[in-house]
Structure formats: structure tokens, C-alpha cells
Amino acid sequence: MKKSLDGIKFDRRRFLGMSSSLAVLGPLAPGRAWGKPDYRNDKNIPESYIQNRDIPDFHIRSANPFLGVDVASWTLSVGGLARKPLRMVYEDLFGFKTYSQVSRLKCVECWSAKAKWEGFRFRELMDRVQPDPSAKYVGFQSADSYYESYLVEELLMPRVLMVLRMNDQPLSQEHGFPLRLIAPFKYGYKNAKYITAIKFADSRGRNYWANNGPYSVDGTIQPGIDHPLDFGKKPLPINGGEVFHPFDERP
Ligand SMILES: Nc1nc2c(c(=O)[nH]1)N[C@H]1C(S)=C(S)[C@@H](COP(=O)(O)O)O[C@H]1N2
Ligand SMILES: [Mo]
């Protein structure tokens, strides 16, 4: 099994608070986690790394700066409790029927941005691998050691997409190439990028930000409530976010 970040306690509030004390210590050599340079607490992340960047059209959030996915060695494994587990290469992703939608991604840091997304439905993937009826949960593993967890039924809701293209282009390295999840009724952190494995399970796994920060595994956007990182970390009643409604049949 791949090493996860479970053992490393990291809190994004602490991360923000620490940057000034690190500056006093002067430049530090990057630490190491699982044999790769660990730039999480380092202000001098090399430009070549995908990292958190506030850019006008669509911010980039990558909890652990990393170099992006090399498509030649990338594979997607889909398995766990399934009758026909499979492994795919990039080209295989284009064998699915595609759908497109415009939807908004909303981060718990109180920014949001909207894009046109294109991709395939989770249902089609499920039909291929034939999960066991006991598999009510799905775990996502990402190339940057990020991980997420969902209920199968959530992934079958309208406007959930396994995304290959953003704004009429293949996904950029920063926004999750080659495959990401978009679930507009969940906070941004649930929208896993750089997916490498999808695993059906009969028990609920946790996710990166529930293990490393103050966020829930569920991460559903609450109507009229924001979930700010700042402002004393209390839920803040404001308008915003795309709220899932069970009667929403938009394609
Ligand atoms: N693999 C991976 N997926 C991830 C993240 C990450 O750090 N790694 N960050 C999440 C968070 S907190 C947000 S808000 C969105 C941001 O997506 P974007 O970088 O395309 O704006 O990606 C989510 N998916
Ligand atoms: Mo986020």
C-alpha cells in the first residue's frame, strides 16, 4: 500500500501561523517526507513545483507542493471490493461518454471560482468494475499523497464529474491533470486532483483535510453558511456556494 500522510500531523492553520517564525530562522533546507523533498513549511518552493497560488481566474491549491503527473508513467487503478478491477492508462480515459457543465468550486478559505468542466460519469466506471453490493464507500488516492473519501451514492448524484478537461483544454498540471473529481455541492477540498487510484470499500475511509485540519470528512456545502479558515474559524452565515438539491436534474 502507498504511504499516506496519516502519520504526519499537519494543520493548515498552524502552517499559516508558522511562516513568520520560520522567516526568523532563515532559509531552511526542505525536510523530507516519504523520500521526496517536503516543501510544506518552506517559503522557497522552487517555481517548478505546483503549489498554492492565488491567481485571478482560478486559484491553485496543492497542500503538498509536487512536480505534477508524468503522463507516461501515470496509471489509474480502480478496484478494492470489485469483481473486475482494472488499470487504465491516459488514453483509456477517452473511452467514456463525456458530459460537460459549468460549475463553481468553493474552497473553505472563502474563495470560489467557476469553470467549464468536461468528463465522464462515475456510474460508467462502476459498471465496468462491478463493485460488490457491500461496497458503499469509495476512496480516492492522488499522486501528491492527497486522499479523499466518498459515499458511492454521492458520486452518482447529478453534476458529479470525473474531469479530463477544464475550459475547453485538457486539465492543466496545476488543476489536476490527468484526472480530477468535481462535485459542486462539496467544498473544494473534496474535489480531488491528480487521481491515481479509486477503491471500493465496505467501510468509510478518512480524507487528507479531516486528518490534517479542522474539516469534516463529509464536506457538504451548507446552504447560506460559509466555512472560513480565518474569522476565528467559525462558520459564517453568508450567501454563496452551490447547494445540491435532490430535485436538481440539470445535466
Ligand atoms: N490531489 C489534491 N487534490 C486537491 C488538493 C490537493 O492539495 N491535492 N487541494 C484541494 C483543495 S483544498 C481545493 S480548494 C481544490 C482547488 O482546486 P484547484 O487547485 O484546481 O483550484 O483542490 C482540492 N483537491
Ligand atoms: Mo481548499
Side-chain angles (χ1 to χ4, degrees):
M1 214 186 87
K2 249 190 174 174
K3 266 192 195 170
S4 80
L5 278 169
D6 280 337
I8 302 163
K9 276 288 158 227
F10 171 68
D11 178 325
R12 73 163 130 182
R13 291 170 301 176
R14 219 186 307 143
F15 174 71
L16 295 174
M18 247 162 69
S19 42
S20 53
S21 52
L22 278 176
V24 175
L25 292 172
L28 295 173
R32 295 209 156 237
W34 57 95
K36 295 182 196 157
D38 177 2
Y39 288 105
R40 281 172 298 171
N41 297 335
D42 192 328
K43 280 186 156 179
N44 305 305
I45 305 163
E47 271 296 305
S48 53
Y49 277 73
I50 297 168
Q51 56 183 285
N52 290 344
R53 275 207 187 93
D54 289 1
I55 48 177
D57 41 347
F58 211 117
H59 292 355
I60 296 159
R61 290 293 177 269
S62 251
N64 303 294
F66 94 122
L67 285 165
V69 165
D70 168 21
V71 70
S73 55
W74 180 86
T75 60
L76 174 69
S77 74
V78 191
L81 294 175
R83 280 179 56 202
K84 296 185 172 175
L86 53 82
R87 187 179 285 271
M88 292 191 272
V89 296
Y90 184 56
E91 288 71 24
D92 298 330
L93 297 178
F94 295 88
F96 295 102
K97 184 169 192 287
T98 56
Y99 298 82
S100 89
Q101 72 190 37
V102 173
S103 61
R104 187 169 284 278
L105 180 141
K106 176 170 174 50
C107 173
V108 288
E109 292 168 320
C110 290
W111 60 269
S112 73
K114 151 178 116 157
K116 178 181 173 189
W117 308 103
E118 283 173 87
F120 57 91
R121 296 274 185 235
F122 190 76
R123 162 73 68 193
E124 211 178 317
L125 197 60
M126 252 178 95
D127 290 347
R128 288 208 201 170
V129 300
Q130 301 180 15
D132 192 275
S134 69
K136 305 272 185 252
Y137 307 91
V138 179
F140 291 88
Q141 179 64 51
S142 298
D144 61 343
S145 315
Y146 201 83
Y147 48 99
E148 257 305 338
S149 131
Y150 274 83
L151 304 173
V152 169
E153 66 194 55
E154 294 173 326
L155 296 167
L156 300 178
M157 283 179 176
R159 287 166 64 74
V160 172
L161 271 189
M162 304 301 298
V163 166
L164 306 173
R165 293 171 66 81
M166 177 183 184
N167 296 332
D168 298 315
Q169 303 288 326
L171 274 177
S172 65
Q173 288 282 345
E174 295 85 357
H175 288 300
F177 178 83
L179 179 67
R180 82 174 297 168
L181 175 63
I182 284 292
F185 53 96
K186 296 283 187 184
Y187 278 110
Y189 68 86
K190 297 287 298 175
N191 293 233
K193 307 192 286 185
Y194 333 113
I195 297 168
T196 55
I198 299 174
K199 210 168 164 185
F200 289 90
D202 58 7
S203 65
R204 171 130 225 188
R206 286 177 63 82
N207 60 350
Y208 180 85
W209 275 119
N211 281 342
N212 296 278
Y215 303 108
S216 69
V217 176
D218 177 63
T220 302
I221 298 172
Q222 299 301 311
I225 305 278
D226 215 329
H227 193 314
L229 180 65
D230 304 312
F231 308 112
K233 289 96 191 172
K234 292 198 190 84
L236 186 73
I238 61 160
N239 299 323
E242 176 163 345
V243 178
F244 174 75
H245 191 284
F247 304 132
D248 188 345
E249 293 292 334
R250 282 178 290 178

